[in-house]
Structure formats: structure tokens, C-alpha cells
Amino acid sequence: MSYVSIIMPIYNQNKELEITLAAFTLQSYKQFEIVIVNDGSKDNTKEVIENLNVNTINLDKNHGKGYAMNRAIKNYEYDYIAFIDGDLGLTSFEIEKLIYPVVSNKVDFTIAKFPEARTITNRKGGFGFVKRLAKRGVYFYTKKEIDTSLSGQRVYRKEVMDIMDYIPNRYGIEVAMTIQALNGGFTFEEVPVKMSHRYTERNLKGFIHRGKQFLNILKTLIIMFFRRWRKWTI
């Protein structure tokens, strides 16, 4: 079996973390290492991690999800790399559905396709502005329509990661990685899963969070446009 490095960027997730990690043992794919990147958590996440048998990177302050992921990318050797959120709880074992198609050379990378939020929580999330921006942004650059451009649960061959020269620090990370992988001509699969995590609700805190997501993704798409324009003019 091929060895997979599983990267988990976290911020203030002490409540779900131990359950998420415990559920990993339920998956059938056993050749993996876990790397937790603690992105400057302000709760007791750091203390929780110290009692776990995992590789860790502790950042001194909150830099953003993309920055945390990039630290692990640069500091660990791998042939296959997976990214997963720390709040998946008991559903984290389904990462195996993303691993097998890649390590078996069926495709070059996979992205998890979650059920609609209301089918799990029976509660409304946002209005879909962030998701539409991400989907249309990916289509603008790749001419491919996919539903999973925001999903943080992914598995890549090293060859796919090697062509990525732009890793934004914050919420635009998944969109940037998707665009670069697709434009690199790599094959992929959107894999239906039954994973679930914390959904942002329609309250003030939720709207602020989604607003930050929207602006970060928009910034990422604009930067990618100017990076492409610069290559055209060279």
C-alpha cells in the first residue's frame, strides 16, 4: 500500500478533534500519517494535541487555513497527500473513499461531495453566494463545472501538488488548488460522501464568516487573473 500524509489544519476545534481522529481508525486504509497544523488556536486545542499520537505543527498566531496547509506541504515528504477538516467527527473515516481512487491510479485527485446541508441538519445554511462565486470562478478559469470547489476534503498525487505555485493564505485555498489542478490536465473525481461538519447558520456570526469567505475567494480569483495576465505579457 502507498503511504498517505493526511493534513488537518485546525483552529479552536478542541471539542471535535479527538472524535475526528478516533474515527480514522475505522477506515480500511491503514497506511497513513496524520499531521495536525494548529493555526494559533486560542482555546486549549494545543493541550489536547499534546496528548495525541500525531505529528503536529503549532503556529504562534492565526495565519489562515491556506497558510497552515502550506506549512505542512513544505515540511513533510509525501507521495500522496490528503486534506481534511478537524470537525468531521465520526464521519472522518469516509476519507477512505477519497484515498482509494488516487492510490490505485484511477484518477490524479479526488474531492469530497457532501450531501446538501439541510439533508443532514434540517437547518438552512447560507444563501449560496459563496458557493456560486467559487463554482463560477472555477468555470471561468477551467471551463469545467464542478460542485465541490469549496470542499476541504481532498486527496492529491504529489505530481498534482508539484505544479501548484499559488497557495493563498486563507479561504481561497480550495478554489486556487482546484483551478491549478484542472488546468494542469489532471484527472479527478467528485466522490459522494456522507461526511458532515459544522455548518454556518443564518445569524450575525454566520454572515460575518461567509462575508470573509466571499471576499477571500474573490481576492483569490482576482490575483489568479493578474498572475495569468502577467504570463500572457511575458
Side-chain angles (χ1 to χ4, degrees):
M1 282 190 178
S2 301
Y3 212 67
V4 180
S5 291
I6 298 178
I7 310 302
M8 185 186 299
I10 60 172
Y11 178 69
N12 292 348
Q13 291 178 338
N14 61 334
K15 295 181 180 179
E16 305 95 346
L17 184 57
E18 290 185 270
I19 298 174
T20 299
L21 291 174
F24 273 127
T25 63
L26 300 177
Q27 65 172 318
S28 60
Y29 196 91
K30 301 299 184 183
Q31 300 298 314
F32 63 86
E33 66 172 348
I34 298 173
V35 180
I36 294 179
V37 187
N38 177 25
D39 189 19
S41 295
K42 296 180 179 179
D43 60 8
N44 68 330
T45 294
K46 185 176 180 180
E47 287 71 28
V48 171
I49 295 172
E50 289 175 350
N51 295 318
L52 302 172
N53 184 28
V54 294
N55 300 306
T56 60
I57 298 175
N58 284 299
L59 303 182
D60 58 342
K61 63 180 181 179
N62 182 249
H63 292 273
K65 184 178 183 180
Y67 182 96
M69 291 166 61
N70 202 27
R71 278 291 298 271
I73 293 168
K74 291 180 176 179
N75 282 276
Y76 283 85
E77 295 292 331
Y78 58 88
D79 293 315
Y80 301 92
I81 191 167
F83 300 100
I84 190 168
D85 294 336
D87 62 351
L88 294 179
L90 293 174
T91 65
S92 67
F93 75 93
E94 288 216 322
I95 189 67
E96 66 181 21
K97 293 182 178 179
L98 306 181
I99 292 174
Y100 281 113
V102 180
V103 299
S104 66
N105 295 319
K106 179 182 177 183
V107 292
D108 296 314
F109 69 100
T110 53
I111 309 177
K113 185 174 184 178
F114 278 55
E116 291 296 325
R118 295 198 67 181
T119 65
I120 298 176
T121 64
N122 199 32
R123 292 179 294 182
K124 291 183 179 180
F127 294 100
F129 297 130
V130 177
K131 185 175 181 179
R132 283 195 292 273
L133 173 65
K135 185 172 183 176
R136 290 172 182 173
V138 169
Y139 181 79
F140 175 81
Y141 285 104
T142 69
K143 297 301 181 284
K144 291 184 173 63
E145 285 202 15
I146 70 171
D147 296 316
T148 57
S149 50
L150 286 179
S151 176
Q153 321 333 299
R154 298 157 176 257
V155 177
Y156 293 96
R157 293 172 57 88
K158 186 178 187 299
E159 291 81 358
V160 185
M161 296 299 302
D162 285 344
I163 62 99
M164 296 187 188
D165 59 1
Y166 174 49
I167 304 291
N169 284 344
R170 296 193 178 274
Y171 295 118
I173 175 66
E174 284 89 6
V175 171
M177 294 176 78
T178 301
I179 291 171
Q180 291 173 93
L182 292 176
N183 282 339
F186 293 102
T187 59
F188 75 102
E189 181 179 355
E190 295 178 284
V191 180
V193 297
K194 296 179 181 179
M195 291 177 174
S196 62
H197 54 63
R198 292 180 298 182
Y199 285 94
T200 307
E201 298 185 13
R202 290 184 183 177
N203 53 29
L204 179 60
K205 183 178 180 181
F207 288 130
I208 292 173
H209 174 76
R210 282 188 290 271
K212 289 180 179 178
Q213 274 189 305
F214 188 94
L215 291 175
N216 273 258
I217 292 169
L218 181 60
K219 178 182 177 182
T220 295
L221 293 171
I222 292 172
I223 289 174
M224 296 192 80
F225 176 82
F226 282 106
R227 287 170 63 89
R228 174 181 283 190
W229 178 81
R230 186 173 61 185
K231 290 181 180 178
W232 287 338
T233 58
I234 294 176

